[in-house]
Amino acid sequence: MIHRTRTAVALLVFCLTSGSVSRAAEEDAEVLPTRDTSPLFWSQEERIAGFRNFDAIYDTRVVDNGTEHLRLTDDPRDFSTLSYEVEGTAYPLDHYLETFFVAGFLVASGERILLERYRLGHSETSRWVSFSVAKSVTSLLIGAAIRDGYIENVDEQVTDYLPRLKGGSYDGATIRDLLQMASGVAWNESYTDPTSDVALAAGLNGLALVNYLAKLPRTADPGTSFNYNTGETNLAGSVLRAAIGNNAASYLAAKMWRPLMEHPATWSITSDVELGGCCIHATLRDYARIGLFASRAGVLPDGTRTLPDDWMQESTKGSPSYPGYGYLWWLWGNGRYAANGIFGQLIWIDPHDDLVIVTQSAAPAATSPRRSAHRNALIDALRRYAKAMD
């Protein structure tokens, strides 16, 4: 099911061209940012409203949920004495929530919710944009496609699925190379340069994306050099769709959303297909369920396996070209890993303790070393605090 209005007129860094969809009547009165300005340049007020209503501004496809969902039990604990330390200064949890405009914050130990906070007009039933968290979901779906037999393995050639790329820089590049951001094809991910590849092509999809990437030169052998590349994660989505012969939203619904999720989600589309690298919109608790799905290696509550037996283990190994990155997952050491999105979106996972920490945010900047330092220290403090509680 697709909600759509007008033809896209503006490219958004990290994702999107435009359109709009209708939403519930109570949201109609809210003043939303326009689609003519990139979210990178929205005001703080526009970010807060826009991130909660992203799928009221841009084209999306619905990801349907089912009649059942993974039950999460409220088991609130007292985090009032928790503090984390950055450069010798201790901060309370509320400092992080307020300073970095966190709208939704959740800590789950298995199916028990230890902490859940909503702010900035966000609620248990409202959706929030994921940005690059969607990359990690695409990785999960490629794993599912391998188990289902649509893809043989990650060492297959990209050009076997996208033959229009044959004879160019992607010859010899594998699906593994795409998942590890190591195709060796040139890509400029500068967010301040309006002529960079990310500014020109991060929202391309389908034939337009293939045509753009086919013109880029190779700068390294496949698998040897890490280069963060939003365009190639959309290309990974193209490989997925070519393999399954269906849209990614329907596959996501079948593999995860109908068995697990409480609310429907939406996924941003351009050229009538989902962006493999961006913008699934879901509730806070359903973000947590994504984390639990990954933590449990894709095993559903009824025992059904949706991923290859070793997929999450392989996905969260350091890449030869960069030990801090796996198959579209950021690695935190000791088996922990995370899905990260700009402006503070996060699903952090510790499979050993079945611990998941989720943030949905409208941080003042897309990326920030200061915010990363605070986030990392807070996650570590929460991990130790939650373990002590158990």
Side-chain angles (χ1 to χ4, degrees):
M1 177 180 180
I2 302 173
H3 298 283
R4 178 166 43 194
T5 57
R6 294 169 288 182
T7 303
V9 296
L11 175 65
L12 304 180
V13 173
F14 256 99
C15 333
L16 317 159
T17 50
S18 59
S20 62
V21 296
S22 60
R23 292 281 296 272
E26 62 268 21
E27 294 175 342
D28 291 343
E30 187 165 27
V31 177
L32 302 181
T34 71
R35 58 189 175 84
D36 299 321
T37 303
S38 166
L40 291 177
F41 305 107
W42 286 350
S43 69
Q44 191 58 41
E45 292 75 16
E46 288 173 329
R47 273 191 288 272
I48 292 168
F51 289 3
R52 182 164 34 82
N53 295 286
F54 219 75
D55 52 5
I57 304 170
Y58 300 103
D59 290 1
T60 63
R61 179 170 282 118
V62 172
V63 183
D64 292 317
N65 62 321
T67 57
E68 300 292 333
H69 61 270
L70 178 65
R71 302 287 174 176
L72 301 179
T73 304
D74 291 323
D75 188 13
R77 304 302 178 92
D78 183 8
F79 284 81
S80 62
T81 61
L82 178 139
S83 65
Y84 66 94
E85 186 173 307
V86 178
E87 296 181 350
T89 300
Y91 299 91
L93 171 63
D94 282 348
H95 174 85
Y96 185 85
L97 302 183
E98 294 166 6
T99 302
F100 301 110
F101 291 86
V102 175
F105 192 87
L106 187 149
V107 178
S109 179
E111 293 159 24
R112 296 178 296 119
I113 299 179
L114 308 183
L115 175 66
E116 185 175 21
R117 297 277 294 274
Y118 294 97
R119 306 173 65 254
L120 309 179
H122 195 25
S123 73
E124 189 176 326
T125 59
S126 57
R127 293 189 287 266
W128 197 269
V129 63
S130 68
F131 289 111
S132 289
V133 167
K135 292 176 172 63
S136 302
V137 175
T138 294
S139 175
L140 291 169
L141 293 180
I142 287 177
I146 291 173
R147 184 172 183 87
D148 287 345
Y150 295 117
I151 297 172
E152 184 174 346
N153 57 59
V154 294
D155 293 317
E156 287 191 279
Q157 302 288 304
V158 172
T159 53
D160 289 344
Y161 292 89
L162 303 174
R164 284 180 177 270
L165 290 172
K166 286 183 178 180
S169 297
Y170 281 90
D171 281 343
T174 65
I175 297 171
R176 186 194 305 272
D177 295 328
L178 292 190
L179 295 176
Q180 293 179 339
M181 301 274 191
S183 70
V185 177
W187 176 271
N188 180 355
E189 188 92 4
S190 171
Y191 309 126
T192 59
D193 180 1
T195 66
S196 69
D197 295 306
V198 73
L200 297 173
L204 297 183
N205 230 333
L207 184 59
L209 175 68
V210 168
N211 287 342
Y212 186 92
L213 293 177
K215 298 175 183 176
L216 298 179
R218 174 175 286 171
T219 58
D221 291 335
T224 64
S225 179
F226 176 82
N227 182 36
Y228 195 88
N229 184 333
T230 295
E232 280 190 349
T233 56
N234 292 341
L235 196 67
S238 296
V239 170
L240 173 69
R241 290 189 302 274
I244 65 175
N246 199 351
N247 66 67
S250 294
Y251 199 54
L252 177 58
K255 295 291 138 182
M256 292 175 57
W257 235 257
R258 292 194 194 106
L260 292 175
M261 304 306 178
E262 188 172 2
H263 301 283
T266 59
W267 197 338
S268 288
I269 60 173
T270 62
S271 299
D272 209 31
V273 290
E274 301 84 357
L275 288 158
C278 189
C279 305
I280 294 167
H281 318 96
T283 65
L284 182 68
R285 288 191 177 200
D286 284 345
Y287 268 44
R289 291 179 176 98
I290 293 173
L292 291 171
F293 176 87
S295 176
R296 297 167 181 184
V299 179
L300 299 177
D302 66 0
T304 300
R305 303 194 68 91
T306 60
L307 302 175
D309 293 349
D310 61 351
W311 181 254
M312 290 311 302
Q313 182 180 354
E314 290 298 316
S315 292
T316 55
K317 281 183 180 178
S319 305
S321 59
Y322 181 53
Y325 203 73
Y327 292 171
L328 305 182
W329 294 97
W330 293 97
L331 309 184
W332 286 59
N334 297 313
R336 303 170 188 128
Y337 53 92
N340 290 347
I342 56 171
F343 295 103
Q345 321 318 317
L346 176 74
I347 304 174
W348 183 92
I349 302 160
D350 183 347
H352 178 73
D353 291 327
D354 208 19
L355 185 69
V356 173
I357 300 172
V358 181
T359 62
Q360 295 177 319
S361 301
T367 61
S368 163
R370 175 172 174 260
R371 188 178 76 246
S372 294
H374 279 255
R375 178 201 63 194
N376 295 354
L378 174 60
I379 294 293
D380 187 56
L382 284 165
R383 177 186 60 79
R384 289 183 280 106
Y385 206 82
K387 190 166 186 176
M389 286 177 174
D390 286 343

